[in-house]
Amino acid sequence: MSENENLTDRNGSGDIMEPASENGDTRNRIFSVDSAEELKPINAAENAEIWLKKFEETGLSGVDDDLETVNIANFFHRVDSDQIIYNMKKKRLKVIGKYVMGDLLGEGAYGKVKEMMDSETLCRRAVKIFKDKKLKRIPNGEQSVIKEINMLKKLCHKNVIRLIDVFRIEEKKKLYIVMEFCVGSLQAMLDSAPGKKLPPRQAQEYFNQLIDGLEYLHGQRVVHKDIKPGNLLLTLEEQLKISDFGVAETFDFFAKDDTCYIGQGSPAFQPPEIANGSESFAGFKVDIWSSGVTLYNFVTGLYPFEGNNIFRLFESIGKGIFTIPKEIEDPLRDLILGMLRKDPEERFTLQQVKQHPWVNANPPASDYRVLIPPIKNDIWHNMTILPYLCDHYYENDSNSEASYDECGMLDDAEYITERELNAAIENHKRSAGHSNGNAQKSNQSSTSSSTKNRGRKKRPISCMAVRNMCMCKQS
Amino acid sequence: MPLFGKSQKGPAEVVKALKEAVNALEKGDKKAEKAQEDVSKNLVLIKNMLYGTSESEPQTDIIVAQLAQELYNSNLLLLLVQNLNRIDFEGKKDVAQVFNNILRRQIGTRSPTVEYICTKSEILYTLMSGYEHQEIALNCGTMLRECARYEALAKIMLYSEDFYNFFRYVEVSTFDIASDAFSTFKELLTRHKLLCADFLETNYDKVFNHYQRLLNSENYVTRRQSLKLLGELLLDRHNFTVMTRYISNPDNLKLMMNMLKERSRNIQFEAFHVFKVFVANPNKPKPILDILLRNQDKLVEFLMKFHTDRAEDEQFNDEKAYLIRQIKELKPLPGH
């Protein structure tokens, strides 16, 4: 337990490790970036230290902003590729308060979402990190975040994302919102699925959870207004969580009805009354409509209304005329039609949806199930905190048995050349193709090439089985 | 026919054998011990058909459908529930497992067992009265909660006279039974929002008369749990009409004000969440306003000191500040 004591020690002193780099993955960037986020031009004569850009990350996000400030001439200094030496940065443990940081889960306009572990309860968490600077650029950004926090505090339901902790770190100018751990959104799952749609049984499972969550929200006088696959998250146990209450609205306790005046959700999921610019509309029926579009999207992979731009789209929604593909048959067809009635008065109520035959049916199990898409090729969604902890605490023990990181490269080799890097990338691509094959139907060429190399390929060694840890929940 | 062991019995045979055994058990003559054994043995056979064992898979859909049909035709579900107290310990658990599995069975969009039980509501009444008997209370509880998931069955239970027995069950001295009864009670009152709202509206007087007794119970757990559930019910938008009715009754306000002063801080806190609705109501009826006005200064003073250590809970502090402001600004209705 000495590691643990050590850990809490750090918390106690409030010491935040590695204050210079804001997220510990500076190693992902080609240029070394210091805390002030200014680029240092590379001085090849002194030392060709280039930070390894991880190939999983595409684009140079975060670097582009400051490109103008750099002397371009320094960039085009020719160096032969085999002379470049990459510095392998070790995974640096970062602790914020009682939380241990893990890898990136996603990125939004406001900042990043990362995995975290509560070092006291050992629960996996997700944290939304809001940068003050970015938040200020978004109109009403700060207000909507505060509104969202206050709203989430009051909500407690198995299908609504739970807020666990909120704190600020002044010197970093960042706001941390700690939430239940989810592995991905339904949008990401749909994107990875064949035909971008779900088999009927799976669609029904998620839809029913959505309806349960929505019933709770409406009971708490909350209109979400932005129901869409991108805002529906999944836990490792495939429990659906409604998230993103940025544009949600809570009615006054004594409000007579659910009249709303502002609609701000995603255009493709907006009902005709909003598309036609009505001054006021019934709030709960908006959520029914967007859930209907979401269901349509689940089962067809398409959207009922399309348009090249928002005007065309709203024009098409405003007319309320759409078609459902022929293969969608009756109980489901009827449900979608009921939820997408143009007139909100005629549109199904949540109660009607709940009692609908399709919702209560027992569809036959299909031969396949869409899996939660892997993050960085890890289909098991292992806890990403562990490598950091291992590196930090077991660094010296690993000498006897060289450990490999996920690219299959030697961890303790500090410097490698381009050629070695390419070889490792190649190797990694093969293994990635192979592991993807478990999730979906793999293309045959990659599997055949990986079988050839099976003898040489070394699997990454993990120190502990962590899959069970995701199950820990607060009582 | 398998080479070893007994030949496998079909669903019809097993159900028939079980029915005979239960009948013998009911008579309670000298063959009772043998009957007891037969019941357990046949229950295990049925359970294995539905769930499978470590060696065998569950039976095919056709066999399960036959089994269900036999169970309906022979009226065995009712018989089992009625004689549950005569069946041995493991057998009781098997009955609950078989019952719940058969209940969940679906054909397309239909739930045949739910339809069956709707026509045999005696099964539900028998299960509800199971809380009277210590040795079967918890088994009946698991079956009842499974039934409560279905709106049609929940409706039968809510609207039956037996529902009011729950107000007694949740207060029994055996803690595990009282808790189990309370979770069933809560499930019935909250699961199907519109059904529950309708029920509370149409039976308002009767239900809240009974509920009042829970809130005044001698038992701390009952008092606290029922107060919390009351808060949840009133604050749910589906029960808006019930809420408006509840908060216009001055007796209810008095009760909550007394509960604010309870010894237990937890009860005080729960009472606060009901009390706030009375104060926040923009259209307070005169009797409510009168009580608040009469206690205006005392209430403000009391709330200023109320749970001051909850500095962390912003929402609570906001609400408290709001209530204090509201009460300070209270004025008698014009013309009085």
Side-chain angles (χ1 to χ4, degrees), chain A residues 150 153-154 212 215-216 218-221 251-258 284 331 349-351 354-355 357-358 360-363, chain B residues 106-111 151 191-195 234-238 240 243-244 247 277-278 280-283 312 314-315 319:
Chain A
N150 286 332
K153 270 186 188 167
K154 294 176 209 165
D212 278 352
E215 186 184 38
Y216 169 78
H218 290 182
Q220 299 298 309
R221 298 173 305 281
F251 293 115
D252 184 75
F253 193 82
F254 291 96
K256 281 277 171 284
D257 56 18
D258 56 338
F284 297 133
T349 61
L350 208 51
Q351 194 66 15
K354 277 195 79 170
Q355 288 172 343
W358 187 76
N360 296 301
N362 188 9
Chain B
Q106 278 195 310
I107 306 173
T109 64
R110 285 182 50 222
S111 297
E151 192 163 343
R191 175 96 194 192
H192 308 280
K193 303 285 183 197
L194 286 195
L195 170 71
L234 296 182
L235 296 185
D236 193 318
R237 197 186 142 274
H238 294 97
F240 188 80
M243 184 267 293
T244 28
I247 61 167
V277 189
F278 286 91
N281 183 2
N283 309 307
E312 292 279 292
E314 275 175 53
Q315 201 199 329
E319 286 178 354

Side-chain angles (χ1 to χ4, degrees), chain A residues 103-312:
Chain A
D103 282 351
L104 192 75
L105 288 170
E107 226 166 326
Y110 46 82
K112 288 175 177 158
V113 182
K114 287 187 166 193
E115 186 180 345
M116 264 197 334
M117 185 182 74
D118 185 330
S119 64
E120 285 169 11
T121 61
L122 300 186
C123 282
R124 266 177 115 169
R125 301 290 184 219
V127 61
K128 255 185 173 177
I129 306 172
F130 290 87
K131 282 190 192 171
D132 283 2
K133 215 168 80 186
K134 285 191 179 172
L135 208 53
K136 284 207 179 88
R137 266 186 245 155
I138 306 167
N140 287 327
E142 274 170 291
Q143 275 166 289
S144 74
V145 170
I146 292 169
K147 206 176 91 182
E148 184 175 358
I149 292 171
N150 286 332
M151 206 177 281
L152 280 175
K153 270 186 188 167
K154 294 176 209 165
L155 302 175
C156 176
H157 187 269
K158 62 182 194 306
N159 297 121
V160 175
I161 193 89
R162 202 156 57 88
L163 182 74
I164 290 171
D165 199 1
V166 181
F167 57 92
R168 258 191 83 81
I169 293 188
E170 277 309 326
E171 51 269 41
K172 289 195 179 196
K173 303 223 180 302
K174 281 181 189 167
L175 178 69
Y176 295 81
I177 301 186
V178 185
M179 293 188 292
E180 280 177 291
F181 181 74
C182 290
V183 265
S185 71
L186 271 167
Q187 186 62 58
M189 183 185 251
L190 284 163
D191 288 342
S192 76
K196 298 205 170 200
K197 60 181 179 182
L198 301 172
R201 196 190 181 95
Q202 208 174 351
Q204 190 214 28
E205 265 174 45
Y206 298 145
F207 183 75
N208 287 3
Q209 296 190 54
L210 167 64
I211 294 304
D212 278 352
L214 216 50
E215 186 184 38
Y216 169 78
L217 289 180
H218 290 182
Q220 299 298 309
R221 298 173 305 281
V222 173
V223 187
H224 187 280
K225 291 198 200 170
D226 199 12
I227 297 288
K228 58 175 179 179
N231 286 340
L232 306 175
L233 307 182
L234 286 176
T235 65
L236 274 168
E237 300 91 56
E238 299 205 12
Q239 193 165 53
L240 180 137
K241 304 274 177 188
I242 300 175
S243 80
D244 199 341
F245 288 73
V247 298
E249 190 174 330
T250 313
F251 293 115
D252 184 75
F253 193 82
F254 291 96
K256 281 277 171 284
D257 56 18
D258 56 338
T259 308
C260 288
Y261 301 93
I262 317 158
Q264 316 167 277
S266 314
F269 293 83
Q270 296 305 298
E273 56 270 27
I274 291 181
N276 286 337
S278 301
E279 238 167 59
S280 65
F281 45 88
F284 297 133
K285 289 293 174 82
V286 175
D287 284 346
I288 298 280
W289 174 279
S290 352
S291 305
V293 178
T294 304
L295 175 62
Y296 187 102
N297 186 233
F298 280 176
V299 293
T300 64
L302 309 166
Y303 295 96
F305 303 98
E306 312 234 13
N308 300 335
N309 55 48
I310 189 162
F311 301 107
R312 285 276 160 75

Side-chain angles (χ1 to χ4, degrees), chain A residues 291-360:
Chain A
S291 305
V293 178
T294 304
L295 175 62
Y296 187 102
N297 186 233
F298 280 176
V299 293
T300 64
L302 309 166
Y303 295 96
F305 303 98
E306 312 234 13
N308 300 335
N309 55 48
I310 189 162
F311 301 107
R312 285 276 160 75
L313 179 64
F314 273 180
E315 197 178 80
S316 143
I317 295 174
K319 285 181 193 144
I321 300 162
F322 65 99
T323 51
I324 303 178
K326 272 198 247 27
E327 68 266 20
I328 304 296
E329 285 169 4
D330 219 352
L332 178 53
R333 194 181 189 88
D334 179 67
L335 176 61
I336 294 177
L337 285 172
M339 293 180 80
L340 298 183
R341 293 235 174 96
K342 190 183 164 199
D343 182 355
E345 290 284 317
E346 286 175 24
R347 201 174 301 153
F348 278 1
T349 61
L350 208 51
Q351 194 66 15
Q352 279 172 294
V353 174
K354 277 195 79 170
Q355 288 172 343
H356 194 275
W358 187 76
V359 171
N360 296 301

